[in-house]
Amino acid sequence: MKSMAFATALALLATTTVPTGVRAQSISATSAEAAFTLPALPYAANALEPAIDAETMTIHHDRHHKAYVDTLNKAINETPALKGKSLAELLAGAGSLPMVVRNNAGGHWNHSFFWQTLTPAAQSGQPSAALATAIADQWGSLDAFKADFKKAGTGRFGSGWAWLIVGKDGKLAITSTPNQDNPLMDVAEVKGTPILGNDLWEHAYYLKYQNKRADYLDAFWQIVNWKAVSDRYADAIKK
């Protein structure tokens, strides 16, 4: 049975500007040959400039994310026991999966979530009143929250992700995961429902920022889709 957190997170993925047919296939098993598909970006590749350049977005989506999807499908097709399983089921049992499935299922989910977390700067907006209050209650201010999020991002050694999650207690928390793990996995040190995440792999920022991950983390706030994050928060605290 899917946990509430997994059901919530997949429901959040469903509320996007990605075309319906692509979206549905991207989060559920649909055939033995191509269980998962690459979702389209919900904006043009150059729409996030100058925070993220068009070349980085194109390579990140068209090559890296596509590779996660293709490798995941190949691994699933070669593992009969996993055929027909949804992405939620794969994440829920990540600790017992072959590493190739764990890594690429996580890579597919994380990137699908990431594209929806971003938006052109002119549409970034602000956290909803409810989310702003929750952030202030937890960190004192939005700036203090951003500082702690940056600390989590710069403190993650090697590749990984930084997350803002809603825990089982309904409270916000910042965490990070290595590689392509995420807080929905049974192997996560801190579990919860992600409402915001940032990709810390070098392929997400190196063309523009080189080794300056901190600068990339600062620029990230220019293009956060606060409406999407706020909607995720509202949905998560209802559960």
Side-chain angles (χ1 to χ4, degrees), residues 1-234:
M1 180 179 294
K2 298 178 183 177
S3 70
M4 189 173 297
F6 287 98
T8 298
L10 287 182
L12 296 175
L13 271 182
T15 57
T16 76
T17 56
V18 178
T20 302
V22 174
R23 181 175 66 233
Q25 291 181 7
S26 73
I27 61 173
S28 63
T30 57
S31 74
E33 295 304 317
F36 304 101
T37 59
L38 178 69
L41 287 174
Y43 33 71
N46 65 353
L48 305 183
E49 292 185 339
I52 300 179
D53 60 283
E55 185 177 10
T56 293
M57 287 299 299
T58 299
I59 293 172
H60 199 171
H61 176 270
D62 296 359
R63 299 186 195 178
H64 289 278
H65 191 174
K66 184 177 186 298
Y68 293 125
V69 174
D70 291 346
T71 305
L72 176 61
N73 283 329
K74 182 176 184 295
I76 293 294
N77 290 335
E78 294 173 351
T79 312
L82 298 179
K83 288 186 178 181
K85 289 191 177 295
S86 70
L87 197 51
E89 290 170 324
L90 295 176
L91 298 181
S96 60
L97 293 175
M99 192 59 70
V100 65
V101 177
R102 169 176 163 177
N103 287 341
N104 289 282
H108 179 31
W109 193 96
N110 293 352
H111 284 84
S112 298
F113 181 89
F114 184 56
W115 309 136
Q116 299 160 23
T117 301
L118 308 178
T119 195
Q123 301 169 26
S124 176
Q126 297 292 329
S128 67
L131 179 56
T133 297
I135 289 172
D137 288 345
Q138 198 74 16
W139 287 279
S141 69
L142 183 60
D143 286 343
F145 155 70
K146 290 179 179 179
D148 273 3
F149 191 89
K150 180 178 180 179
K151 185 182 299 183
T154 55
R156 167 54 59 185
F157 182 78
S159 300
W161 291 75
W163 305 96
L164 174 64
I165 65 171
V166 176
K168 291 182 179 179
D169 59 1
K171 294 183 178 180
L172 296 173
I174 294 170
T175 186
S176 70
T177 55
N179 302 315
Q180 293 297 348
D181 287 356
N182 66 49
L184 296 173
M185 291 181 171
D186 58 346
V187 296
E189 291 183 6
V190 181
K191 299 177 179 64
T193 301
I195 63 172
L196 180 148
N198 197 3
D199 190 343
L200 305 176
W201 285 64
E202 287 188 343
H203 62 239
Y205 63 86
Y206 202 83
L207 290 181
K208 182 177 178 68
Y209 298 96
Q210 289 82 51
N211 63 323
K212 300 174 183 177
R213 183 189 285 181
D215 290 353
Y216 161 70
L217 287 163
D218 287 338
F220 170 69
W221 300 114
Q222 301 172 23
I223 51 172
V224 168
N225 185 344
W226 281 112
K227 182 180 186 307
V229 176
S230 298
D231 288 347
R232 291 166 178 167
Y233 174 70

